[in-house]
Amino acid sequence: MSEENFMDNGEDVKPSATKVDPAVPASLTWQRKIDSDAKAPREFSLTAKEILQMAPVGIRLWFLCREEAAKGRLAFIDPFSKHSVTSSHGVPLGGIGSGSIGRSFKGEFQRWQLFPPKCEDEPVLANQFSAFVSRANGKKYSSVLCPRNPKLAKQDSESGIGSWDWNLKGDKSTYHALYPRSWTVYEGEPDPELRIVCRQVSPFIPHNYKESSFPVSVFTFTIHNLGDTTADATLLFTWANSVGGDSEFSGGHYNSNIMMNDGVKGVLLHHKTANGLPSLSYAISAQETDGVSVSVCPFFTVSGDQNGITAKDMWKIIKEHGSFDHLDASDASTQSEHGSSIGAAVAASATVLPGESRIITFALAWDCPEVQFPSGKIYSRRYAKFYGIHGDAAAQIAYDAILGHSQWESWIEDWQRPILEDKRLPAWYPITLFNELYYLNSGGTLWTDGSSPLHSLAGVREKKFSLDKSQSGLKSIIDVPHQQQQNDTAVSVLEKMASTLEQLHASTASNSAFGTKLLEEGEENIGHFLYLEGIEYRMWNTYDVHFYASFALVMLFPKLELSIQRDFAAAVMLHDPTKVKTLSEGQWVQRKVLGAVPHDLGINDPWFEVNGYNLHNTDRWKDLNPKFVLQVYRDVVATGDKKFALAVWPSVYVAMAYMAQFDKDGDGMIENEGFPDQTYDTWSASGVSAYCGGLWVAALQAASALAREVGDKNSQDYFWSKFQKAKVVYEKKLWNGSYFNYDNSGSRYSSSIQADQLAGQWYARASGLMPIVDEDNARTALEKVYNFNVMKIKDGKRGAVNGMHPDGKVDTASMQSREIWSGVTYALAATMIQEGLVDKAFQTASGIYEAAWSETGLGYSFQTPEAWNTNDQYRSLTYMRPLAIWSMQWALTRISNKQKQFGLESELEPEPSSLMKHDIGFSRVSRLLNLPNESSAKGTVQTLFEYACRRMMS
């Protein structure tokens, strides 16, 4: 596929005429038998040395977790709280940024992320599809289309869902996944002469910024009658009034019937969410067509002592009659009682003649348009721009999905088919490429409509205000004649409150990382986009990791990538002197200083309170600012958006000036400071390092190229001269003849072979810039990494270990040096592709497939972790960085297009006097951004502890 097919031209995708058979899986899919017992993932453990190293951090983190819990908040990481881990995940439901519901390949609905960053892992077992078949010869079959879960309690068997027919074995039924679609082929189950195919699709549509935000999935069942007798078949969709966890038992929930045009019928489930979270409504629907009839059971008791029909009663009715046409639904609107759980069901029935097929379509939608953070700020989700903010749109969303999903699938087919049919690619690659995109749904993603936040009273501090001083405004609302008033009073009051509170807090927006303020008049406000570093690492838009993952966004949703970049450009100019205690040394430091790119956009108050991460003082990190500059330039190359380039250029300049303070000896090269001051946050570097040094060299070239794009000739020349100087220093201090040393400190770990040593070269090449190192040296270093870091680890079937000594032993300097990082391995493979080592690239990346996705792997499918070690133990499941597989596709695409190199070497050398004049101005900016010396803040106890550790480990 050409690059133009990936890049966005500013328009949403156009209608497609491609016809797709929902009963036929894609040509390449990830597959499992439904009865598969996948390997249970094993969590990492620390060595005695690492426990000693990290003990002070662990103690401080334990206290932090307790403090945050007491405030009703989550710490940025909590290793002390265990969560459910399973290896049966499949393609999740919904678009992006509107909440996510996971689904296992067995058929269970699990991993609930409707209120990120909160994640409820356990399945809600009442949520099922079931099939009932009656043959003309008198034979009858019935089963839930999911194997029985051992967690079904004994009491559930009396009147609850345990009494249903859990007859599915699954040994003949196969699950196929190619995100955002999946197909489950029930071969001869429950009826041996029936094949049932369920195709699940969600609106994840590249370059589409409308439907892709919708909280909905469609399930299309194709029933094939392979027998010689007529089959009367009923498919049943049951759904509990639950959002995962214990909220379903909190009481006050109720259900109601819905009936819309075009034969769409269903049930609305109104959920009064517990624990201060917003209310939510579901719609489960099906469409009546010729030969397909739909009936509903709007209420049944899943568990508890609630009055009304039980789950057992409901099952008996549908089993005997094949529909709910004769059901007395008089108690449908009854509210659930505390301690009880209620549900609803939709049944679709059809007669299938021998040798023929029937298609039945269901939809699941949810509506929760508000997102509220612990700070009290409330945002509207992107899809509310199209469906309103009142929380009453679930039925309409489901209806639109049933009528429009065929077009979604045509768009998805047009996008995926060229890659699937590219015979140059190994079969595992397209499957993994598409399936890793699950994270843009399941990574706690939030997509707002771009408007300013509302503020609950919990977010108002020390400010007095009146909703309406004259009271005439409210009186005019309340005095509206009753026949005109309807339900608008609450709406009008809410609008008045919103207006007043927005005015109250208008001044705070300028003290935020809102990139929308960088938009020019007339530019589209696509909204703000957030995603978590990981389900266990609860920080929004962690930037050092986004550096790797962002290729997926810039290729598929470039407007969202630019939105993130604007937010970070605004954050560069933000200064927050609030004191925060670091976990590493117990120092009190400023939360965020002017000129530093933040580690993340926050946790409890994103955009307004950045840097939720406090393991280290990230204002001293050496990779964040160069990564910002490199990503900005790459995004300008990808989109051609000159307005964006002009808007963020001041932030790029300041970010570069900020870094000058880390060039201690004035040789043009920044130095690491002996602590983990980069994305490898337990792995220290000192002096010039391969990783951060390479990023700095590449960023200097990118800054020069960006200056050219915005017409700043003096800055272009200045950064170009600094690039030439730093490039020489980098190779001189680190190149050892076969690879670039980890750093030049002379320690016993300095000669470690780092898998990620050419990160700067990778991004320079990816952006069409000149290589930052000699090309022969780059290939030689990559050969070394391949032979040592890749092939010496289980014959190349686990990916690239981060650090390897020249003697072939894994670097054990830290926990992370001995880990394999899935996203870094993908990035390494992309670097190899760019340097012409294509076969080695696919062999390298195939190790991630073998470990994470293959049937003989480690059980990480649809939850690819940040890392695993050489003992096959994972750390941090469901993580952002593995989206870096899209950097491989970026590299393949650009090579196939023979993308030109944007070198600057042919331009005339600038006058020395001009460079000197610019250096004076740059240095003045740099000095103003210098950090205070905080090294003296280390406590006596900490100093003594570190001294003892060094003595014991020496």
Side-chain angles (χ1 to χ4, degrees):
M1 179 181 268
S2 68
E3 185 173 9
E4 286 72 23
N5 293 121
F6 284 115
M7 297 297 104
D8 183 42
N9 61 5
E11 299 291 333
D12 287 350
V13 290
K14 302 297 189 293
S16 168
T18 302
K19 299 296 183 183
V20 182
D21 184 348
V24 179
S27 57
L28 292 172
T29 59
W30 180 88
Q31 299 178 25
R32 289 292 184 275
K33 290 295 184 185
I34 291 180
D35 69 340
S36 296
D37 289 322
K39 183 182 294 186
R42 296 186 300 131
E43 194 168 12
F44 78 104
S45 57
L46 298 173
T47 65
K49 169 185 167 184
E50 291 162 355
I51 291 172
L52 191 60
Q53 285 177 326
M54 301 178 72
V57 172
I59 293 169
R60 294 188 189 106
L61 181 56
W62 187 87
F63 281 108
L64 175 67
C65 292
R66 304 290 76 76
E67 290 168 8
E68 291 299 293
K71 299 174 185 175
R73 307 192 309 195
L74 298 171
F76 75 92
I77 179 176
D78 184 359
F80 311 104
S81 297
K82 298 302 178 183
H83 61 278
S84 174
V85 175
T86 176
S87 55
S88 61
H89 290 289
V91 172
L93 312 181
I96 54 178
S98 58
S100 168
I101 301 172
R103 196 171 183 219
S104 76
F105 64 75
K106 295 177 182 293
E108 294 169 340
F109 295 85
Q110 57 191 23
R111 194 165 64 189
W112 303 78
Q113 298 179 78
L114 299 171
F115 310 102
K118 187 178 178 63
C119 179
E120 298 285 356
D121 295 289
E122 293 287 345
V124 176
L125 296 178
N127 298 346
Q128 299 289 348
F129 286 102
S130 303
F132 304 80
V133 184
S134 296
R135 290 270 178 189
N137 59 11
K139 293 183 178 180
K140 293 188 176 184
Y141 308 90
S142 60
S143 180
V144 179
L145 294 179
C146 176
R148 186 183 185 93
N149 190 306
K151 293 182 180 179
L152 276 173
K154 289 183 179 179
Q155 59 267 28
D156 290 334
S157 298
E158 297 175 5
S159 61
I161 61 174
S163 65
W164 295 354
D165 299 330
W166 300 84
N167 297 326
L168 194 80
K169 294 180 179 179
D171 57 326
K172 298 178 181 178
S173 300
T174 306
Y175 178 86
H176 301 255
L178 194 73
Y179 184 82
R181 295 179 290 174
S182 70
W183 299 259
T184 307
V185 182
Y186 303 94
E187 200 72 62
E189 293 190 272
D191 180 339
E193 295 185 318
L194 216 61
R195 179 192 297 128
I196 303 174
V197 180
C198 171
R199 195 271 288 111
Q200 171 191 308
V201 62
S202 297
F204 183 98
I205 306 160
H207 310 296
N208 174 298
Y209 298 89
K210 181 180 179 181
E211 285 86 353
S212 293
S213 71
F214 291 176
V216 66
S217 286
V218 176
F219 308 86
T220 301
F221 285 81
T222 305
I223 305 173
H224 303 273
N225 187 355
L226 306 177
D228 54 11
T229 59
T230 298
D232 292 322
T234 296
L235 295 176
L236 180 70
F237 187 16
T238 51
W239 197 257
N241 199 323
S242 169
V243 293
D246 58 6
S247 183
E248 66 183 285
F249 303 105
S250 59
H253 317 309
Y254 68 97
N255 306 336
S256 60
N257 286 330
I258 52 175
M259 185 174 294
M260 307 193 73
N261 295 330
D262 299 294
V264 176
K265 298 179 181 178
V267 182
L268 274 173
L269 298 90
H270 308 271
H271 192 84
K272 183 181 178 182
T273 314
N275 305 318
L277 295 170
S279 295
L280 175 146
S281 61
Y282 294 106
I284 55 172
S285 303
Q287 185 179 28
E288 284 191 338
T289 58
D290 289 341
V292 176
S293 61
V294 175
S295 58
V296 303
C297 172
F299 177 96
F300 68 88
T301 301
V302 176
S303 64
D305 299 325
Q306 183 88 30
N307 291 328
I309 69 169
T310 65
K312 182 177 183 179
D313 297 333
M314 182 276 300
W315 187 268
K316 183 179 179 181
I317 291 169
I318 203 73
K319 189 173 181 178
E320 290 183 359
H321 303 287
S323 76
F324 297 117
D325 289 340
H326 304 291
L327 175 70
D328 178 9
S330 58
D331 55 358
S333 60
T334 303
Q335 288 195 2
S336 65
E337 298 173 1
H338 183 79
S340 294
S341 171
I342 63 172
V346 176
S349 305
T351 296
V352 190
L353 299 177
E356 295 192 359
S357 301
R358 284 287 186 187
I359 292 177
I360 296 174
T361 303
F362 294 91
L364 168 69
W366 57 93
D367 186 16
C368 183
E370 290 185 348
V371 178
Q372 181 168 340
F373 292 100
S375 63
K377 294 187 180 71
I378 300 170
Y379 297 82
S380 295
R381 297 184 193 262
R382 166 73 175 178
Y383 79 86
K385 186 179 181 72
F386 311 105
Y387 285 104
I389 61 172
H390 304 306
D392 57 0
Q396 187 64 48
I397 296 171
Y399 170 82
D400 290 344
I402 286 176
L403 269 61
H405 72 278
S406 295
Q407 179 62 78
W408 306 348
E409 191 157 21
S410 295
W411 283 326
I412 293 166
E413 186 79 7
D414 290 344
W415 159 48
Q416 293 184 336
R417 189 192 307 110
I419 298 175
L420 295 174
E421 293 178 352
D422 190 339
K423 301 305 180 185
R424 297 170 299 175
L425 304 174
W428 65 264
Y429 171 75
I431 297 170
T432 313
L433 179 74
F434 291 120
N435 282 334
E436 289 284 17
L437 290 171
Y438 86 94
Y439 194 80
L440 289 178
N441 165 280
S442 299
T445 52
L446 291 173
W447 185 0
T448 78
D449 65 358
S451 59
S452 298
L454 305 180
H455 299 257
S456 70
L457 292 182
V460 179
R461 299 284 190 273
E462 300 176 357
K463 289 192 177 183
K464 195 179 293 184
F465 71 95
S466 170
L467 194 60
D468 192 316
K469 291 178 181 177
S470 67
Q471 298 299 312
S472 60
L474 285 178
K475 187 174 187 299
S476 66
I477 294 170
I478 296 168
D479 287 349
V480 172
H482 179 72
Q483 64 269 26
Q484 297 177 22
Q485 193 176 353
Q486 298 179 352
N487 294 322
D488 293 339
T489 301
V491 172
S492 299
V493 171
L494 284 170
E495 289 174 351
K496 187 68 177 179
M497 289 178 68
S499 175
T500 303
L501 290 169
E502 186 173 344
Q503 292 172 25
L504 181 69
H505 287 266
S507 61
T508 65
S510 61
N511 299 320
S512 73
F514 272 167
T516 46
K517 57 193 176 187
L518 299 179
L519 291 170
E520 292 185 13
E521 186 175 351
E523 281 193 278
E524 181 183 9
N525 181 353
I526 203 67
H528 297 281
F529 186 77
L530 295 175
Y531 64 149
L532 296 171
E533 179 179 334
I535 296 303
E536 300 171 46
Y537 292 9
R538 308 179 190 101
M539 294 151 285
W540 300 112
N541 292 3
T542 300
Y543 201 70
D544 57 301
V545 184
H546 177 69
F547 176 73
Y548 296 83
S550 60
F551 284 91
L553 282 176
V554 78
M555 293 187 79
L556 306 178
F557 297 95
K559 293 180 183 179
L560 292 183
E561 167 63 12
L562 295 190
S563 173
I564 291 174
Q565 295 290 64
R566 289 189 191 95
D567 288 345
F568 276 91
V572 168
M573 302 304 201
L574 184 66
H575 185 81
D576 184 351
T578 307
K579 291 292 185 177
V580 176
K581 190 176 184 179
T582 64
L583 296 176
S584 56
E585 296 182 339
Q587 294 183 13
W588 288 94
V589 300
Q590 296 180 89
R591 177 177 289 279
K592 158 72 176 69
V593 301
L594 179 66
V597 173
H599 172 274
D600 55 81
L601 290 182
I603 302 173
N604 299 307
D605 195 4
W607 299 290
F608 289 84
E609 189 180 85
V610 300
N611 279 341
Y613 174 94
N614 67 327
L615 179 57
H616 302 290
N617 177 10
T618 60
D619 289 341
R620 303 198 77 91
W621 276 23
K622 310 306 181 294
D623 63 338
L624 290 168
N625 284 40
K627 285 176 174 176
F628 170 67
V629 176
L630 286 165
Q631 285 185 82
V632 164
Y633 182 68
R634 181 212 53 197
D635 293 347
V636 171
V637 170
T639 65
D641 193 330
K642 294 294 181 66
K643 288 184 178 179
F644 165 75
L646 286 165
V648 302
W649 169 241
S651 295
V652 168
Y653 190 92
V654 169
M656 294 298 290
Y658 180 85
M659 291 300 294
Q661 63 188 298
F662 301 121
D663 176 9
K664 303 297 185 183
D665 55 8
D667 64 352
M669 174 57 64
I670 61 169
E671 289 92 27
N672 293 86
E673 297 183 281
F675 76 100
D677 49 358
Q678 27 71 36
T679 195
Y680 299 91
D681 58 359
T682 69
W683 193 7
S684 298
S686 295
V688 178
S689 70
Y691 185 70
C692 294
L695 292 172
W696 173 242
V697 175
L700 286 166
Q701 186 184 182
S704 177
L706 188 63
R708 179 186 58 189
E709 293 293 325
V710 300
D712 187 343
K713 183 65 167 63
N714 289 334
S715 293
Q716 175 188 336
D717 293 342
Y718 180 70
F719 286 121
W720 178 254
S721 68
K722 290 178 73 69
F723 160 64
Q724 296 283 41
K725 182 179 179 181
K727 178 182 175 184
V728 172
V729 174
Y730 181 72
E731 292 220 35
K732 181 179 179 181
K733 290 193 174 183
L734 295 175
W735 179 248
N736 64 18
S738 59
Y739 63 95
F740 292 87
N741 285 331
Y742 179 68
D743 65 26
N744 75 332
S745 66
S747 74
R748 61 191 177 118
Y749 298 109
S750 287
S751 60
S752 183
I753 307 165
Q754 185 181 12
D756 213 2
Q757 62 184 265
L758 288 175
Q761 173 82 349
W762 165 45
Y763 245 79
R765 291 283 226 176
S767 304
L769 295 169
M770 288 179 59
I772 67 162
V773 299
D774 179 86
E775 293 181 65
D776 289 336
N777 289 353
R779 281 190 287 272
T780 300
L782 290 172
E783 295 270 7
K784 188 76 171 183
V785 170
Y786 177 79
N787 291 327
F788 278 68
N789 302 59
V790 177
M791 296 308 296
K792 288 184 182 295
I793 305 299
K794 302 198 176 183
D795 298 322
K797 293 183 178 180
R798 285 296 181 268
V801 71
N802 283 335
M804 177 74 80
H805 289 298
D807 62 2
K809 294 181 180 178
V810 173
D811 187 341
T812 58
S814 76
M815 172 185 74
Q816 291 175 344
S817 63
R818 65 183 179 92
E819 288 182 330
I820 297 150
W821 286 12
S822 50
V824 166
T825 299
Y826 286 142
L828 170 62
T831 310
M832 290 175 171
I833 291 169
Q834 292 169 175
E835 301 300 330
L837 304 174
V838 177
D839 290 342
K840 287 182 170 63
F842 281 117
Q843 173 61 48
T844 296
S846 71
I848 306 304
Y849 167 77
E850 291 291 341
W853 293 91
S854 75
E855 195 153 13
T856 57
L858 305 178
Y860 302 153
S861 305
F862 296 99
Q863 55 180 349
T864 314
E866 158 76 317
W868 50 86
N869 57 32
T870 54
N871 296 322
D872 288 345
Q873 297 171 322
Y874 75 85
R875 179 173 60 80
S876 186
L877 289 171
T878 318
Y879 197 80
M880 180 197 294
R881 204 182 318 248
L883 284 169
I885 192 173
W886 280 86
S887 68
M888 294 179 65
Q889 188 62 21
W890 174 272
L892 290 167
T893 302
R894 297 179 73 79
I895 285 175
S896 66
N897 287 346
K898 295 182 172 57
Q899 220 32 65
K900 69 175 182 178
Q901 182 174 290
F902 297 104
L904 307 175
E905 69 279 11
S906 61
E907 301 198 5
L908 295 175
E909 287 292 321
E911 292 291 332
S913 58
S914 172
L915 292 176
M916 188 176 298
K917 183 177 179 181
H918 195 91
D919 185 64
I920 293 172
F922 184 82
S923 298
R924 288 182 66 185
V925 176
S926 299
R927 287 196 301 274
L928 291 172
L929 297 170
N930 281 356
L931 288 165
N933 184 2
E934 294 172 329
S935 59
S936 61
K938 191 182 296 185
T940 304
V941 174
Q942 176 76 24
T943 303
L944 290 173
F945 180 84
E946 290 180 359
Y947 175 75
C949 287
R950 285 195 298 271
R951 289 295 301 270
M952 292 175 68
M953 293 175 194
S954 62

